Amino acid sequence: MTSAVRPRLLIVHQMPTQFIRALERVFDLDYKDTSTRFTHEQILSRIRANPPDAMLFPGQTKIDKEILATAGDKLKMLATFSVGFDHIDLKECKKRGIAIGYTPGVLTDGVADLAIALLLATSRRVVEAMKAVRNGQWGQSSDIMWMCGKPLVNSTVGIVGLGQIGLAIARRLQPFSIQRILYSGTREKQFDSENDKRMFQFVEFNELLRQSDFVIIACALNDQTRHMFNKQAFEQMKNDAIVINIARGGIINQEALYDALKTGQIQAAGLDVTTPEPLPTDHPLLSLENCTIFPHIGSADVNARHQMAQLCVDNLLNFFSGKPMVHELKTDSA
Ligand code: NAP
């Protein structure tokens, strides 16, 4: 391929060198080897300066009408370094005939591991306990219930969205001797083993809220799930329920969550995702001891990130050599 016909690729996050080397064999890269996050305005100005044929970006980069219009007809493909796609204006991509590659599957285990870490950190008050050690509170209380948390054994776990990640979380929870798993979603799943048929029960969302001791949010963010966890939802939950969100911040109405946590409507929450991200350090949720917040690190395991990067590279190389992508997002329903 001569340099005149090489497609131009704009990369808006930092990547290990081996992936950059693989891409620069085929693309003219617009890449800055810096860990500083690019703002929306900076991305727009890079597009204006060098209109790309393709863009590679993480799930935190909003690909809206303005970005797509600025890139114009030259832009043929988007490669998102994520399994979620609510940051992309799918309708606009469909209208403009822009193909989208994404990275499902390879981060399932990493996110499911993190969900368990977040659930246990929240239910066993790990962050609070660590703070108590640092503040010299260890040994100060004679209360036998000091730093007690909520046990998983014999509990009912509700999973909203039993997709790849939801199921991987469920599998990890079973050895904790939980009693049963309720799940809600768009359709009931089929299970082969008798054990699974006994353990998993498809229920309506409100029923899941009423019966669960732990509620885990693992569904996609879409028009139906946005702010699904609102005041009415929290009011239906048990007062000692714990809610864990590893999906997307927009599924929870955060004002309603704050009130529910503050008034004891529910016991605690663990969030890997918030609105906005990053959450401002003076956000009310950060003032609550019963709210554990992680900085969206669900897929931050070395294997997952390498596999995601490789999928992005393969999606890009395949698309520009006329082959099917490894994982192409269908925009038909957009
Ligand atoms: P997936 O296999 O496509 O599962 C998506 C799930 O969303 C499905 O179970 C689906 O339910 C459910 N869903 C869709 N619309 C729904 C609705 N209206 N009500 C209830 N459930 C609904 O995707 P995945 O790989 O498991 O990922 C799930 C989500 O996790 C992603 O969309 C992403 O936002 C998030 N995520 C977070 C991180 C992180 O770092 N924290 C990393 C990766 C992904 P049905 O099966 O019943 O249709």
Side-chain angles (χ1 to χ4, degrees):
M1 211 180 267
T2 63
S3 63
V5 296
R6 282 158 63 90
R8 176 171 287 278
L9 171 63
L10 169 61
I11 304 178
V12 293
H13 58 71
Q14 197 177 30
M15 287 179 91
T17 315
Q18 76 255 37
F19 300 108
I20 297 299
R21 294 278 168 272
L23 288 168
E24 68 190 3
R25 282 189 211 116
V26 171
F27 295 95
D28 277 346
L29 298 188
D30 181 352
Y31 174 64
K32 293 194 170 46
D33 192 4
T34 166
S35 63
T36 309
R37 177 84 68 86
F38 292 101
T39 63
H40 192 71
E41 198 41 58
Q42 285 169 328
I43 295 170
L44 283 171
S45 72
R46 283 174 70 180
I47 293 173
R48 281 188 207 105
N50 286 307
D53 297 276
M55 286 177 67
L56 170 53
F57 52 87
Q60 295 78 24
T61 301
K62 234 183 163 19
I63 303 295
D64 56 12
K65 273 201 180 73
E66 190 181 12
I67 294 259
L68 297 168
T70 306
D73 292 345
K74 192 165 193 281
L75 185 66
K76 309 282 181 310
M77 187 206 160
L78 298 174
T80 182
F81 191 91
S82 65
V83 62
F85 41 83
D86 45 281
H87 55 298
I88 304 172
D89 187 331
L90 297 185
K91 281 202 181 101
E92 192 64 17
C93 287
K94 188 180 177 195
K95 204 174 97 189
R96 293 176 173 274
I98 296 170
I100 305 170
Y102 71 136
T103 65
V106 296
L107 36 61
T108 301
D109 288 324
V111 181
D113 286 353
L114 194 277
I116 303 301
L118 180 56
L119 188 151
L120 290 174
T122 306
S123 62
R124 296 303 300 270
R125 303 165 63 184
V126 170
V127 177
E128 219 182 316
M130 286 171 67
K131 258 197 232 162
V133 174
R134 294 215 166 107
N135 296 340
Q137 291 164 284
W138 188 3
Q140 299 294 306
S141 173
S142 67
D143 183 354
I144 57 159
M145 303 308 280
W146 189 70
M147 282 297 158
C148 278
K150 184 181 167 80
L152 263 168
V153 68
N154 288 330
S155 64
T156 295
V157 175
I159 300 184
V160 179
L162 198 69
Q164 294 198 67
I165 293 173
L167 188 60
I169 295 170
R171 295 288 181 220
R172 281 159 174 75
L173 284 173
Q174 283 170 281
F176 285 89
S177 303
I178 56 173
Q179 195 181 72
R180 60 189 178 140
I181 295 171
L182 308 179
Y183 68 97
S184 65
T186 62
R187 65 207 145 83
E188 188 168 3
K189 314 285 170 194
Q190 297 306 314
F191 291 99
D192 294 334
S193 83
E194 289 309 313
N195 197 28
D196 281 348
K197 285 178 190 163
R198 265 195 310 276
M199 177 62 81
F200 289 90
Q201 195 185 334
F202 182 61
V203 292
E204 189 253 327
F205 176 61
N206 289 322
E207 193 58 27
L208 181 147
L209 296 178
R210 283 194 285 273
Q211 293 198 30
S212 300
D213 300 301
F214 295 87
V215 174
I216 302 174
I217 305 172
C219 61
L221 172 64
N222 53 38
D223 290 345
Q224 286 75 48
T225 62
R226 189 177 305 281
H227 284 195
M228 194 179 198
F229 282 78
N230 52 20
K231 186 171 187 289
Q232 291 73 30
F234 291 120
E235 279 171 358
Q236 298 194 60
M237 291 170 70
K238 296 182 181 183
N239 292 141
D240 66 346
I242 290 183
V243 64
I244 301 297
N245 186 7
I246 55 80
R248 285 290 180 263
I251 298 166
I252 292 182
N253 176 323
Q254 286 178 178
E255 286 74 36
L257 174 64
Y258 176 83
D259 290 344
L261 290 169
K262 186 85 182 160
T263 59
Q265 181 73 54
I266 63 168
Q267 183 171 313
L271 314 174
D272 184 45
V273 286
T274 59
T275 311
E277 291 182 6
L279 199 64
T281 52
D282 60 353
H283 193 281
L285 282 176
L286 287 168
S287 69
L288 300 175
E289 290 288 13
N290 57 348
C291 190
T292 302
I293 303 185
F294 288 172
H296 200 151
I297 51 170
S299 69
D301 93 34
V302 179
N303 287 357
R305 290 285 160 95
H306 275 89
Q307 286 175 288
M308 288 168 78
Q310 189 59 54
L311 270 180
C312 285
V313 169
D314 292 343
N315 282 338
L316 280 157
L317 295 181
N318 283 12
F319 180 79
F320 281 92
S321 60
K323 296 187 206 140
M325 286 187 227
V326 186
H327 290 292
E328 178 167 3
L329 190 62
K330 298 291 168 219
T331 51
D332 299 348
S333 56

